[in-house]
């Protein structure tokens, strides 16, 4: 029935409130709307209600699979994780940990990644997409390893905006044995941090690949993969895209403990960085 008694098909016992209820509404394009209103005798109330019912049935049959609640939940999880990781600024946020000079990370990045870690650890996962879930959980494990390792020797700088990894081998009173021991520990810790960032970025990019394979083939096609800015020769910085090989992806799908496997493989995966 029309919204008002004066409109086409306006004669009805329905109240003004009932005329605005979903059961009495139909959405039409401007062309069809004008056509139908100009010929109310050809497009009766019964005819329009039948047309609406048939279209609703078509939508339910055709799009029912796409509106699966678990799929919708996974799509929302993917969007949320993408935002929490801030993939668009990933190279700016974590590349400073790879710096050949003083490794650092902004406090806002550290807080966001720590909140992301907590978010991953507390997820009630929807059903399905076991491979995607495993990749996301592994991202959480490597985030935890990065943040816990970095925080052991990081303090806020004078600005209060960044955390800087201390050169803890610098001792106030000279002791050759202690200095060499601390220097070796520092270099190993820096290499480990670099490898963690590389491996974590590989998993971030694997996350994008799995989403494209299983949920959205166009996921981040415009933005591309997450990158790292690598300090090379003097005044030279290169962009690197850390990714797993196809063989490594097969191994990952069968892995029970990715962190343990990483410890075994980190000495041979390329590139490697040292200071």
């Amino acid at each position: 029935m029309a919204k008002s008694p004066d409109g086409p098909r306006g004669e009805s016992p329905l109240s003004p409130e009932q005329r605005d209820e979903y059961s009495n509404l139909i959405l039409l394009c401007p062309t069809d709307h004008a056509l139908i209103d100009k010929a109310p005798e050809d497009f009766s109330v019964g005819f329009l209600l039948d047309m609406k019912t048939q279209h609703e049935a078509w939508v339910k049959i055709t799009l029912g699979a796409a509106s699966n609640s678990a799929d919708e939940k996974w799509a929302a999880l993917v969007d949320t994780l993408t935002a929490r990781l801030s993939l668009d600024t990933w190279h700016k946020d974590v590349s400073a940990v790879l710096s050949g000079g003083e490794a650092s990370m902004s406090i806002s990045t550290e807080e966001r990644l720590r909140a992301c870690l907590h978010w991953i650890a507390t997820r009630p996962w929807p059903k399905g997409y076991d491979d995607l879930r495993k990749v996301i959980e592994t991202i959480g494990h490597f985030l935890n390893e990065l943040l816990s390792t970095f925080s052991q020797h990081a303090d806020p700088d004078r600005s209060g905006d960044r955390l800087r990894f201390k050169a803890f081998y610098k001792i106030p009173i000279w002791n050759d044995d202690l200095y060499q021991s601390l220097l070796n520990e520092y270099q190993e810790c820096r290499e480990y941090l670099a490898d963690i960032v590389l491996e974590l970025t590989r998993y971030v990019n694997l996350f994008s690949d799995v989403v494209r394979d299983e949920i959205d083939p166009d996921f981040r096609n415009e933005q591309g993969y997450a990158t790292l800015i690598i300090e090379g020769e003097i005044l030279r910085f290169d962009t690197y895209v850390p990714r797993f090989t196809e063989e490594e992806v097969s191994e990952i799908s069968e892995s029970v403990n990715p962190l343990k496997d990483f410890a075994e493989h980190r000495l041979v995966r390329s590139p490697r960085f040292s200071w």
Side-chain angles (χ1 to χ4, degrees):
M1 289 55 174
K3 185 172 183 179
S4 68
D6 297 333
R9 296 167 295 273
E11 295 182 6
S12 170
L14 295 181
S15 67
E17 291 77 15
Q18 291 172 323
R19 290 172 186 263
D20 277 334
E21 291 179 356
Y22 172 78
S23 60
N24 190 53
L25 299 177
I26 185 169
L27 182 63
L28 301 170
C29 70
T31 301
D32 285 345
H33 194 284
L35 176 65
I36 288 173
D37 278 356
K38 286 181 181 179
E41 65 281 357
D42 295 329
F43 298 96
S44 66
V45 172
F47 178 89
L48 294 176
L49 290 176
D50 285 343
M51 184 173 70
K52 177 181 177 180
T53 300
Q54 291 174 15
H55 182 71
E56 287 175 336
W58 176 86
V59 168
K60 185 175 182 180
I61 294 172
T62 307
L63 304 181
S67 61
N68 180 281
S69 61
D71 288 353
E72 292 174 352
K73 290 178 181 178
W74 273 110
L77 284 170
V78 167
D79 288 343
T80 302
L81 180 60
T82 300
R84 286 181 174 272
L85 290 172
S86 190
L87 296 188
D88 290 336
T89 62
W90 182 263
H91 63 292
K92 297 179 182 178
D93 296 337
V94 301
S95 290
V97 178
L98 299 170
S99 171
E102 186 179 46
S104 68
M105 181 186 299
S106 73
I107 289 178
S108 61
T109 294
E110 195 271 348
E111 291 175 345
R112 175 172 50 76
L113 293 180
R114 198 169 291 282
C116 181
L117 168 61
H118 176 77
W119 180 86
I120 292 173
T122 57
R123 279 316 84 205
W125 300 105
K127 294 181 179 180
Y129 299 113
D130 292 339
D131 289 343
L132 180 56
R133 172 180 175 174
K134 183 177 181 180
V135 170
I136 295 174
E137 289 178 328
T138 303
I139 287 174
H141 294 320
F142 278 95
L143 272 178
N144 181 64
E145 193 70 9
L146 170 63
L147 295 172
S148 60
T149 302
F150 184 79
S151 65
Q152 289 177 12
H153 299 287
D155 289 325
D157 63 7
R158 292 181 179 179
S159 70
D161 295 330
R162 297 192 70 82
L163 294 168
R164 300 192 179 278
F165 194 80
K166 295 182 295 184
F168 56 83
Y169 60 90
K170 296 180 179 180
I171 52 179
I173 300 177
W174 183 252
N175 182 312
D176 189 64
D177 291 339
L178 177 61
Y179 174 83
Q180 195 59 51
S181 174
L182 291 175
L183 179 60
N184 292 339
E185 181 184 347
Y186 172 81
Q187 290 175 330
E188 170 57 28
C189 195
R190 288 295 305 275
E191 290 177 2
Y192 185 65
L193 278 172
D195 289 345
I196 285 290
V197 171
L198 284 165
E199 197 78 350
L200 174 59
T201 308
R202 285 188 176 101
Y203 273 101
V204 166
N205 285 329
L206 180 59
F207 161 73
S208 294
D209 282 335
V210 174
V211 171
R212 278 189 283 270
D213 288 342
E214 298 187 355
I215 294 180
D216 179 6
D218 297 323
F219 179 72
R220 294 188 63 80
N221 279 349
E222 183 66 26
Q223 298 90 339
Y225 289 107
T227 63
L228 293 174
I229 300 173
I230 306 301
E231 185 175 349
E233 299 175 359
I234 297 176
L235 299 180
R236 176 179 173 181
F237 295 87
D238 299 320
T239 298
Y240 178 63
V241 184
R243 296 184 63 198
F244 291 111
T245 65
E246 291 185 7
E247 181 180 355
E248 288 169 339
V249 172
S250 298
E251 294 175 357
I252 287 170
S253 64
E254 300 173 358
S255 174
V256 177
N257 190 333
L259 270 175
K260 181 180 178 181
D261 295 340
F262 162 72
E264 297 175 355
H265 295 152
R266 62 181 290 252
L267 298 179
V268 297
R269 282 192 178 151
S270 178
R272 292 268 302 152
F273 305 99
S274 61
W275 291 269

